[in-house]
Amino acid sequence: MNEAILLKTGEIALKGLNRGSFEDILVKNIRWRLKPFGAFDIQRAQSTITVRPKSDDIDLDEVCDAMGKVFGIAAYSRALVTEKDLGTILRDAVAYLKDDLSGIRTFKVEAKRSDKSFPYKSPEISREVGAALLSAYPHLRVDVHHPQMTVIVEIRDFAAYIHGAQREGAGGMPVSSSGQALLLVSGGIDSPVAGYMMARRGLKISAIHFVSPPYTSARALDKVETLLQTLTDYTGNITFYCVPFTKLQEAIRDHCPEELFTIIMRRLMMEIAVRVARAHDLPALITGESLGQVASQTILSLAATNAASDRPVFRPLIGMDKKDIVAIARKINTFETSILPYEDCCTVFTPKRPKTRPTLRYVEESQALFDFEPLLAEAVENIEEKVIRLEW
Ligand code: ATP
Ligand code: MG
């Protein structure tokens, strides 16, 4: 059978004159994602990218699953590629859609004719295909308003395409089309979701994580790497920076007011993240903070943390409830890993009574009680860098 996968671009279509470059990035991402499956022919026309396998042994279900995770694709479907001849189309539609139609009762047909030399107009094609399906499958009924399935017949330049159920794509914009940013990732539920959300807006993600051995274990670091590995399904490869943070945390414990331990720790994380971002040309940071979730995420705490960064900090979860964040974590398969019980450096030296309304001045004065600069420089010096790759 001669099949293809049709990918519908979403928001890209709104990009006007920039559309071409967005599509270039999307096609490049698609090509990269297709590599492990074999050779494909890729064409684009009228906000559809057509992917055709060059050999028969490629499992299109697997390819579809992979395409369902590429940002910039709004919807996708498998389609039969057939001759531009009405008789052939009717016969092939009946055979090809058999399984799809057996489980439903109502359908409609939508025809699209971009090849205007095809002798039948769209309404006629729809009518003919609808009639052929009704006579082959008498359990069906046409419902033009709320069909369980819309059968699509497209008459394009080089072939006709017949497709059944369309699936929703990953949406958003192609990774890299918005540039790059650095995700502060912990082993928790929130930050992986934040990374996913910003990748969906077209950012290529790098990640930074702070570890405090022996207070935090190797297993906690493994957990973070597993989370990032899971994210690569959507984000592609992630450059990962692991920062040794123990000495800074001990210095905070020894020299700063206990009620500010977490805030000052957050600010030092920001300072290091900014240095890494500067060195690697990453214009923005991303965190998983959500307003009011914990003491370090009240408006004044966030203001104090924010003041430690000279570049924009994206907080896509800021207005979200935990339950909605969890729903996304489940969808992207990070949840089960996130809830494993290993400690994070945030849970080391946590104050019994954290200050929930710290003024920036009080925080800055408290941080100035100790000269953190040498330890900051040392931490940056000892960062371990590696690339977490999408596993084929
Ligand atoms: P998460 O579920 O992402 O851990 P959280 O609700 O537990 O979030 P915090 O632990 O207060 O919140 O952390 C707030 C944010 O700070 C995180 O979302 C993350 O962006 C960043 N962060 C926390 N701990 C680390 C860490 N060890 N390394 C890097 N970033 C961190
Ligand atoms: Mg956390």
Side-chain angles (χ1 to χ4, degrees), residues 184-186 188-191 209-210 266 288 293 297 344-346:
L184 283 82
V185 67
S186 72
I189 296 169
D190 302 329
S191 41
H209 176 65
F210 299 85
R266 264 292 118 62
Q293 205 188 72
Q297 295 173 31
D344 181 65
C345 65
C346 292

Side-chain angles (χ1 to χ4, degrees), residues 112-180:
K112 297 174 189 168
R113 187 183 59 138
S114 54
D115 171 10
K116 301 294 178 200
S117 71
F118 189 71
Y120 301 89
K121 295 208 170 100
S122 301
E124 287 174 277
I125 304 168
S126 301
R127 225 173 19 244
E128 292 289 330
V129 173
L133 294 174
L134 284 172
S135 87
Y137 306 114
H139 72 282
L140 290 177
R141 192 161 62 68
V142 172
D143 180 343
V144 289
H145 300 296
H146 305 287
Q148 284 171 291
M149 191 175 119
T150 301
V151 171
I152 298 176
V153 178
E154 298 187 49
I155 313 293
R156 293 174 167 269
D157 285 348
F158 299 104
Y161 296 86
I162 299 167
H163 43 133
Q166 244 192 19
R167 285 200 264 167
E168 201 180 323
M173 317 230 291
V175 164
S176 291
S177 65
S178 299
Q180 303 198 46

